[in-house]
Amino acid sequence: MKKISCYIDDIRIETPEGVTILELARANGIYIPTLCYHPDISPSGNCRLCIVEIEGRRGQHISCMTRVEDGMRIRTDSQEIAEIRRVTLELIHANHTQDCTSCSSNNNCQLQEVTAYIGVNEERLNKLRRTRPLLKIDDSNPFFNLDHNKCITCGICIRTCDEVAGVNALDYSFRGFATVVSTFGDKPIKESVCESCGECVVRCPVGALYVKETVIPAREVKTVCAYCGVGCNIYLGVRDNKIVSVRGDRESIVNKGRLCVKGRFGYSFVDHPERLTSPLIKSNSSFKEISWDEALDIIADKFSKNQGRKFAALSSAKATNEDNYIIQKFTRAVMGTNNIDHCARLCHAPTVSGLVQSFGSGAMTNSIDEFTSAKTIFSIGSNTTVAHPIIGLHVKEAKRKGAKIIVANPKEIDLCRFADIFIQHYPGTDVVLLMGMMKVIADEGLEDKKFLEDRCEGFDELLNCLGDYDLENVSRITGVDTEKIRQAARLYATNTPSSLIYAMGITQHSHGTDNVLAVSNIALLTGNVGKESSGVNPLRGQNNVQGACDMGGLPNVFPGYQSVTDPDKIEKFEKAWSARLDRQEGLTHTEYFTEIGKGNIKTLYQVGENPVLSEADANHVKKALEKLDFFVVQDIFLTETAQYADIVLPACSFAEKDGTFTNTERRVQRVRKAVNPPGEAMEDWRITCEIARRMGAEGFDFESVDDIVREINSLTPSYAGITYDRIEKEGLQWPCPDRKHPGTKYLHREKFAGSTGKGRLFPLLYKASVELPDTEFPLLLTTDRSLYHYHTSTMTGRVRGLKDIEGTEYLRINPEDARKMGVNEGEMVSVKSRRGKLKVKVNINRSCPEGVASLTFHFPETPTNELTICAVDPVSKIPETKVCAVNVEKTEL
Amino acid sequence: MNNQLDEIFAPFTGKSEELIPVLQAVQGEYGYLSDETMGEIARFTGVPGSRVYGVATFYSQFRFTPVGETHICVCRGTACHVRGSGKILENIEGLLGIKNGEVTDDLKYSIDTLACIGACGIAPCVVVNDKVNAKMTPNKVREILNRDKGL
């Protein structure tokens, strides 16, 4: 880029072209007062304080809106500038409440800073003071308030809501003196489209938008958010052993300081009074407290009597890598079985089984940060802005930079607002849709021939199979117009780099693996993988579901996806763990409950999970749990599942322990202890080690997580180079095979990870979902997520503000279906499937197409999974939580 | 309502720059802009709801409450003011039990003010459903309203 030079206050400064005077001055430590500038958003030039003079030009110029030109001579201050600034500032002050000492932004206020620099004339100010009565503070939002009386109408919140959040909840309303920042219809914020992310609050230069009960922390601890798989970096503010504030880490490449509502305001569960503080034992169907010694002795004794395949463990995608490593080691080395699994079975099992076949590795191929440079983003089966809000922001940013967005989803999700093409296909028809798109690509010769030649195998088989996908037929099955399929196919194939995003809409089907293969097919066919900003990106759900898989929390692999049936690997781990290991793959999560029912599994050790609400066909889970001989639950709350336990152990939350989480882009990031655990709660790894030691096992004498990490490094090739000192500031992305390796930004750059080094295309057949609507159960029920809750809401359900915003479940149905059933908004209906029945209120919503209804599974009082079907994918054993048939009838309260 | 809106939108293409003409067309049909119609306008033009509202509230030509069957506009221009239009307004407000800018619950009457209709020679003026009533007095107000009420 061309360099130019200019003078600011007679100092010669060289700069690349394109920067504004304000930016250049700031970068060079020259102060220019401003109130409406923020580096994250476009300048608006409305505070008129950043004026400067430019030699040879008349008058003053707004420095935030004026680009530096070669040879410019700029003055940041003069008698005239000072006078103009003073008057402008006095006019702002005249409309601003003067209660600095009680203001939450005191000492952190840009108006104070600017005033100190410019100065105001108190006497003149008194004359200018506005006499209108104070406007009412909008305190409707549970997390923050809007005080119009302190607002300086700089518009930073408006531009933030537009450019950073893409929500557009706020804008200026009314005119002249009456101008205020308001929502649509000047309604309370809570009734607007505001998503409570708080990005506006963070950027408000004064105290107009402020967090309720602002408390300044005594210290801050850098750690990783405990909600979704994005893995945003946060600073927890701590005072008196309490988390009093949360802020995003602006240095982090993952979130660049941005957070969603849960990440910013969702941590009051940590010191919730219902936290488990002591081990509990069930006697006469109620729990009573016992000591750790008693509890651990009983467990050690019972576990000793049930070694081998009678035992099964569920580790946790919410726990750290270190916790997961220990739990799987315990299961394999001490209990002598590969019966170890976790909730990845219910979310991305087909990703692992599918992408391993096609690419050789089942993880997101690219980094989150690469989305913003993609030219096309194809989001299929992912409610991105709701389930992965910060990745949603990356997609919105890409759109702002000119990318084209294709959304394929049975529901008209929020992301559709940004979509260039929205494909609303019928649930469960993804294979047909994608194969149809591939047929268009092949017919029109848009495939990447060189990529197919050099790097792929199986193209001919795929080509043969595409003959079966006549586009008219595809359109009939998917319910999507043929022209739309053509347009989407062309866009994805030609407007490259294209990045594909998918999530549960692809995986949670009885043909989930086929869906994943269809996704990898289209990426391989068009050469959209193994390149920067171009790949296949399964968005992982839980904060550490990637890590739990990596650590071998799966029945078929040791840490680092080393097969449990490979004799070399068995030998390696037997030697390292000094134990005899099971030669056979273990059972999966979904199989556990059937086997418990049959009496083949007698003991279950479950860490941080809630299958009573999260497992498909939950009633069969409940029945199974009742049959267990011995059931140990280790968790932070007494969950719905914990009610079935014989012994409950109190664990630490993420804020109370050290370790690492691996986010969806394979980035291993440091989790740090911020507060002490409540009562006698202990870290998961420590509890499991205690049990192991009491069973006489060796190799569990870890003093701290550092020792565990060293063992992980030595046994897991992809994690070998990831040490705590290397990830102190920024996480590393696996594979990272040695200490010098910089980590891997995107996968499959030169060759694919599989044994042949080639990507494999697969011919696929359309398989219908197992249970489709019929006359008895005429509606198709699909499941989705809410922005405000997480999973079975064990955590978010205990955050008052989140419950305030969204407190109950609603069945979302199309207006036409509602009319046919004769139900009105908010009325109670009974929803019945072949497996269960529940009552819920109706929300009539155009987002659902006719014939499709949706529920989340966030609310314990509305156990959606009692309705869903446990028809599993034959390869990955994931249940079909996305499609089942229900009957909906109006009912009394 | 949606069908009616579709008809109003029909001559437009749905581009954001059509926002103001669309607002005018909708107000022309309904007499005012409701949250529902503005929501649909936002959807149609792709302009965020908050911005639609911001634009609409910026211009004094847009109103956000329905007009009554009898819409009464009191001129508050200088000449009318000097000749007591303030009192006239108070009088009408008192008779109808609503304030300036409001509409009666039965949607029969609404009151608005405007600044100078250019008929200063016959001040104070009150415009009732586009008909100018000259040299108003409290008594004449009562007469007009009674006549309108069929009394």
Side-chain angles (χ1 to χ4, degrees):
Chain A
M1 195 177 281
K2 204 180 139 199
K3 282 247 177 188
I4 52 171
S5 70
C6 69
Y7 294 85
I8 301 182
D9 295 341
D10 299 325
I11 301 166
R12 187 167 183 278
I13 300 171
E14 281 210 347
T15 171
E17 266 182 323
V19 295
T20 65
I21 296 172
L22 181 68
E23 283 164 347
L24 186 63
R26 289 196 156 208
N28 286 277
I30 302 168
Y31 182 73
I32 298 178
T34 171
L35 285 171
C36 69
Y37 170 81
H38 194 283
D40 297 347
I41 51 181
S42 57
S44 67
N46 68 3
C47 79
R48 317 312 270 187
L49 288 175
C50 70
I51 46 171
V52 293
E53 286 167 357
I54 301 167
E55 203 176 280
R57 298 190 192 182
R58 276 174 47 187
Q60 288 75 32
H61 299 264
I62 306 296
S63 67
C64 69
M65 302 283 279
T66 312
R67 291 192 195 286
V68 176
E69 287 169 27
D70 198 27
M72 238 182 201
R73 286 181 171 273
I74 300 148
R75 295 224 77 83
T76 66
D77 213 343
S78 71
Q79 194 91 40
E80 200 175 348
I81 289 176
E83 192 52 38
I84 296 170
R85 280 185 185 152
R86 182 153 45 240
V87 173
T88 310
L89 185 63
E90 281 166 2
L91 288 168
I92 293 170
H93 270 288
N95 294 324
H96 184 83
T97 321
Q98 308 289 309
D99 58 352
C100 291
T101 47
S102 64
C103 176
S104 64
S105 291
N106 190 22
N107 235 354
N108 188 26
C109 172
Q110 262 196 64
L111 185 58
Q112 286 176 336
E113 184 187 302
V114 164
T115 309
Y117 185 80
I118 297 172
V120 288
N121 181 325
E122 194 61 35
E123 206 175 307
R124 280 159 43 86
L125 194 57
N126 286 335
K127 285 186 200 151
L128 285 167
R129 280 245 176 272
R130 195 174 185 171
T131 50
R132 79 165 186 205
L134 289 180
L135 294 167
K136 199 177 166 298
I137 293 173
D138 181 351
D139 59 359
S140 62
N141 185 286
F143 302 113
F144 56 84
N145 292 352
L146 168 56
D147 183 352
H148 295 290
N149 307 300
K150 287 182 187 159
C151 177
I152 54 170
T153 56
C154 67
I156 287 177
C157 54
I158 295 169
R159 279 173 285 145
T160 299
C161 201
D162 178 20
E163 296 174 30
V164 176
V167 174
N168 295 95
L170 298 172
D171 210 325
Y172 293 117
S173 290
F174 310 107
R175 186 169 41 147
F177 269 126
T179 305
V180 286
V181 169
S182 92
T183 63
F184 174 70
D186 201 19
K187 295 211 167 53
I189 287 178
K190 195 183 172 188
E191 290 167 34
S192 74
V193 293
C194 170
E195 293 177 356
S196 304
C197 66
E199 291 295 330
C200 57
V201 180
V202 174
R203 289 180 182 77
C204 181
V206 293
L209 279 157
Y210 59 100
V211 176
K212 286 189 161 121
E213 297 150 25
T214 307
V215 178
I216 312 267
R219 62 187 166 92
E220 285 190 323
V221 180
K222 187 180 165 182
T223 187
V224 179
C225 177
Y227 283 106
C228 76
V230 177
C232 296
N233 288 213
I234 53 171
Y235 283 93
L236 292 179
V238 182
R239 183 158 152 181
D240 188 21
N241 200 42
K242 271 199 169 73
I243 297 170
V244 294
S245 67
V246 181
R247 69 179 172 93
D249 176 9
R250 290 182 62 87
E251 312 283 308
S252 158
I253 191 167
V254 177
N255 56 313
K256 301 185 174 103
R258 299 168 298 188
L259 294 174
C260 72
V261 54
K262 297 188 291 290
R264 195 182 304 283
F265 298 117
Y267 290 125
S268 55
F269 74 87
V270 172
D271 73 338
H272 195 278
E274 287 170 17
R275 277 289 299 275
L276 293 171
T277 54
S278 149
L280 303 173
I281 189 164
K282 193 180 268 166
S283 71
N284 301 329
S285 72
S286 69
F287 287 104
K288 68 169 196 203
E289 293 189 359
I290 50 168
S291 72
W292 270 111
D293 272 336
E294 287 174 274
L296 293 168
D297 283 341
I298 297 171
I299 294 168
D301 177 51
K302 292 269 191 186
F303 280 7
S304 303
K305 291 176 185 151
N306 267 309
Q307 273 158 310
R309 294 184 195 138
K310 286 180 286 182
F311 174 88
L314 285 172
S315 70
S316 178
K318 294 228 82 66
T320 61
N321 287 325
E322 292 73 5
D323 294 331
N324 276 287
Y325 176 81
I326 293 297
I327 294 160
Q328 65 85 33
K329 180 180 177 183
F330 170 76
T331 308
R332 296 195 157 107
V334 182
M335 299 308 293
T337 171
N338 283 316
N339 283 347
I340 168 90
D341 206 359
H342 70 284
C343 68
R345 188 64 51 200
L346 313 178
C347 65
H348 269 296
T351 297
V352 178
S353 60
L355 292 188
V356 165
Q357 291 178 55
S358 50
F359 298 162
S361 173
M364 218 169 126
T365 61
N366 297 70
S367 300
I368 294 169
D369 194 42
E370 290 170 45
F371 286 125
T372 51
S373 307
K375 279 207 181 138
T376 302
I377 295 178
F378 180 15
S379 164
I380 178 164
S382 155
N383 194 349
T384 321
T385 59
V386 162
H388 300 88
I390 303 304
I391 290 182
L393 295 187
H394 281 83
V395 177
K396 292 174 185 176
E397 196 180 325
K399 171 80 182 180
R400 288 187 77 84
K401 285 166 76 176
K404 299 283 181 201
I405 312 289
I406 308 169
V407 175
N409 204 301
K411 288 185 67 177
E412 191 181 342
I413 53 171
D414 174 60
L415 191 62
C416 294
R417 292 192 291 126
F418 301 86
D420 296 278
I421 300 176
F422 170 41
I423 296 171
Q424 194 164 22
H425 60 306
Y426 198 64
T429 61
D430 307 82
V431 166
V432 189
L433 174 69
L434 290 164
M435 291 298 267
M437 286 174 70
M438 282 181 254
K439 176 148 172 67
V440 174
I441 291 165
D443 284 354
E444 298 187 4
L446 303 175
E447 74 274 18
D448 186 337
K449 293 176 189 75
K450 188 164 166 24
F451 190 85
L452 288 166
E453 178 78 17
D454 297 349
R455 302 204 47 194
C456 305
E457 48 197 20
F459 175 51
D460 293 336
E461 290 94 314
L462 175 72
L463 208 55
N464 282 338
C465 169
L466 285 178
D468 300 341
Y469 289 89
D470 169 60
L471 216 54
E472 291 299 326
N473 233 341
V474 169
S475 169
R476 238 187 323 275
I477 297 170
T478 57
V480 183
D481 191 46
T482 52
E483 194 45 40
K484 220 177 219 184
I485 298 171
R486 283 200 187 93
Q487 283 172 2
R490 286 174 199 141
L491 189 62
Y492 177 76
T494 58
N495 193 34
T496 55
S498 295
S499 198
L500 194 147
I501 289 174
Y502 75 85
M504 308 293 87
I506 285 293
T507 57
Q508 289 179 330
H509 291 279
S510 55
H511 47 269
T513 306
D514 284 356
N515 282 350
V516 171
L517 292 175
V519 163
S520 58
N521 273 352
I522 197 168
L524 288 171
L525 184 67
T526 54
N528 274 315
V529 64
K531 300 167 186 170
E532 179 130 11
S533 298
S534 178
V536 172
N537 296 296
L539 305 185
R540 307 300 301 256
Q542 301 269 13
N543 54 333
N544 196 35
V545 66
Q546 185 64 56
C549 291
D550 299 345
M551 289 299 108
L554 297 169
N556 59 338
V557 286
F558 293 120
Y561 306 97
Q562 305 173 78
S563 169
V564 295
T565 51
D566 178 340
D568 292 347
K569 307 294 181 213
I570 296 174
E571 198 194 326
K572 169 179 163 182
F573 280 92
E574 285 193 333
K575 206 167 144 211
W577 292 344
S578 323
R580 162 124 188 116
L581 300 176
D582 190 1
R583 260 69 185 154
Q584 196 183 323
E585 286 185 4
L587 294 168
T588 61
H589 198 300
T590 32
E591 288 165 327
Y592 280 6
F593 298 102
T594 340
E595 292 305 306
I596 295 169
K598 289 185 196 156
N600 294 333
I601 293 175
K602 297 197 177 298
T603 302
L604 183 62
Y605 176 38
Q606 180 200 289
V607 181
E609 225 204 294
N610 199 6
V612 160
L613 290 180
S614 63
E615 187 90 19
D617 190 6
N619 282 324
H620 98 283
V621 173
K622 289 186 189 169
K623 274 186 213 134
L625 292 177
E626 279 165 6
K627 280 194 134 183
L628 279 168
D629 281 357
F630 189 57
F631 182 25
V632 177
V633 167
Q634 192 166 304
D635 213 314
I636 62 171
F637 288 104
L638 196 65
T639 61
E640 290 72 15
T641 307
Q643 306 286 352
Y644 290 82
D646 297 294
I647 289 187
V648 181
L649 302 174
C652 287
S653 77
F654 84 108
E656 293 143 8
K657 61 184 171 191
D658 284 297
T660 51
F661 289 156
T662 305
N663 78 349
T664 184
E665 55 165 358
R666 301 167 277 106
R667 191 183 296 278
V668 183
Q669 308 192 95
R670 245 336 226 114
V671 176
R672 293 180 182 83
K673 181 177 169 175
V675 290
N676 293 324
E680 297 170 23
M682 275 207 284
E683 296 104 315
D684 289 300
W685 64 267
R686 215 182 279 276
I687 301 173
T688 311
C689 285
E690 280 289 335
I691 299 172
R693 280 206 294 271
R694 275 166 210 251
M695 292 175 71
E698 281 173 24
F700 287 87
D701 299 314
F702 301 100
E703 294 272 306
S704 72
V705 280
D706 300 68
D707 302 340
I708 305 174
V709 160
R710 271 191 286 277
E711 192 169 311
I712 295 172
N713 291 153
S714 70
L715 292 169
T716 318
S718 54
Y719 275 65
I722 303 177
T723 55
Y724 281 177
D725 54 322
R726 291 192 69 194
I727 57 169
E728 185 62 28
K729 282 210 176 91
E730 188 177 278
L732 279 169
Q733 289 170 283
W734 66 256
C736 179
D738 60 67
R739 301 214 168 179
K740 296 254 160 59
H741 195 282
T744 308
K745 188 173 165 187
Y746 58 92
L747 300 177
H748 320 304
R749 183 199 292 255
E750 270 139 23
K751 64 185 189 80
F752 284 93
S755 53
T756 62
K758 299 235 172 178
R760 173 145 205 103
L761 297 131
F762 288 86
L764 297 168
L765 292 175
Y766 167 53
K767 296 180 194 117
S769 303
V770 170
E771 189 182 76
L772 287 168
D774 51 27
T775 44
E776 198 184 344
F777 297 95
L779 273 185
L780 187 151
L781 177 74
T782 191
T783 52
D784 69 352
R785 305 289 185 275
S786 156
L787 173 65
Y788 303 101
H789 287 284
Y790 196 78
H791 211 243
T792 62
S793 77
T794 306
M795 302 184 321
T796 52
R798 289 174 171 92
V799 177
R800 210 175 57 204
L802 294 173
K803 285 290 265 187
D804 274 1
I805 294 176
E806 197 168 304
T808 56
E809 181 68 283
Y810 283 94
L811 177 80
R812 289 180 167 82
I813 52 169
N814 183 276
E816 193 52 32
D817 291 322
R819 195 187 57 75
K820 279 187 215 153
M821 285 182 274
V823 290
N824 297 313
E825 178 70 24
E827 284 182 343
M828 195 62 104
V829 290
S830 81
V831 187
K832 224 177 1 182
S833 78
R834 291 187 173 84
R835 294 150 299 277
K837 182 175 143 173
L838 52 81
K839 280 184 180 180
V840 63
K841 282 181 185 165
V842 154
N843 172 234
I844 299 170
N845 198 306
R846 279 192 272 191
S847 70
C848 281
E850 222 180 308
V852 176
S854 80
L855 284 171
T856 73
F857 65 108
H858 299 313
F859 300 95
E861 57 284 3
T862 315
T864 302
N865 279 315
E866 292 186 7
L867 302 172
T868 52
I869 185 167
C870 196
V872 297
D873 175 51
V875 187
S876 66
K877 314 287 184 199
I878 193 170
E880 188 153 61
T881 358
K882 285 291 179 199
V883 178
C884 76
V886 292
N887 181 341
V888 178
E889 268 171 14
K890 195 166 159 176
T891 182
E892 295 304 309
L893 288 169
Chain B
M1 185 182 91
N2 276 334
N3 287 341
Q4 195 183 347
L5 271 180
D6 286 342
E7 269 174 43
I8 301 170
F9 292 158
F12 299 97
T13 57
K15 292 205 180 95
S16 60
E17 53 265 37
E18 292 171 333
L19 177 59
I20 292 174
V22 172
L23 286 167
Q24 287 167 324
V26 170
Q27 175 157 305
E29 198 63 37
Y30 290 90
Y32 75 111
L33 298 169
S34 66
D35 285 355
E36 289 74 30
T37 54
M38 280 190 288
E40 291 300 321
I41 293 168
R43 204 179 234 271
F44 177 66
T45 55
V47 177
S50 58
R51 196 163 303 153
V52 170
Y53 185 73
V55 169
T57 54
F58 182 84
Y59 294 100
S60 61
Q61 62 174 295
F62 295 116
R63 47 176 300 132
F64 305 94
T65 47
V67 282
E69 268 168 47
T70 307
H71 184 53
I72 303 161
C73 271
V74 181
C75 181
R76 299 285 288 119
T78 315
C80 292
H81 173 74
V82 170
R83 305 214 53 160
S85 72
K87 281 268 182 270
I88 304 286
L89 177 62
E90 271 175 36
N91 207 265
I92 298 172
E93 287 176 340
L95 281 170
L96 295 175
I98 54 170
K99 291 274 171 210
N100 176 20
E102 293 178 349
V103 60
T104 54
D105 289 342
D106 59 4
L107 298 181
K108 285 250 155 81
Y109 296 94
S110 50
I111 314 174
D112 236 334
T113 53
L114 41 78
C116 195
I117 57 168
C120 306
I122 50 171
C125 299
V126 172
V127 186
V128 180
N129 287 351
D130 296 333
K131 185 177 176 298
V132 180
N133 294 274
K135 296 188 176 172
M136 293 299 287
T137 62
N139 270 338
K140 281 172 99 175
V141 165
R142 206 165 290 130
E143 251 172 55
I144 291 171
L145 289 181
N146 283 345
R147 186 181 66 216
D148 197 72
K149 280 180 179 167
L151 296 171

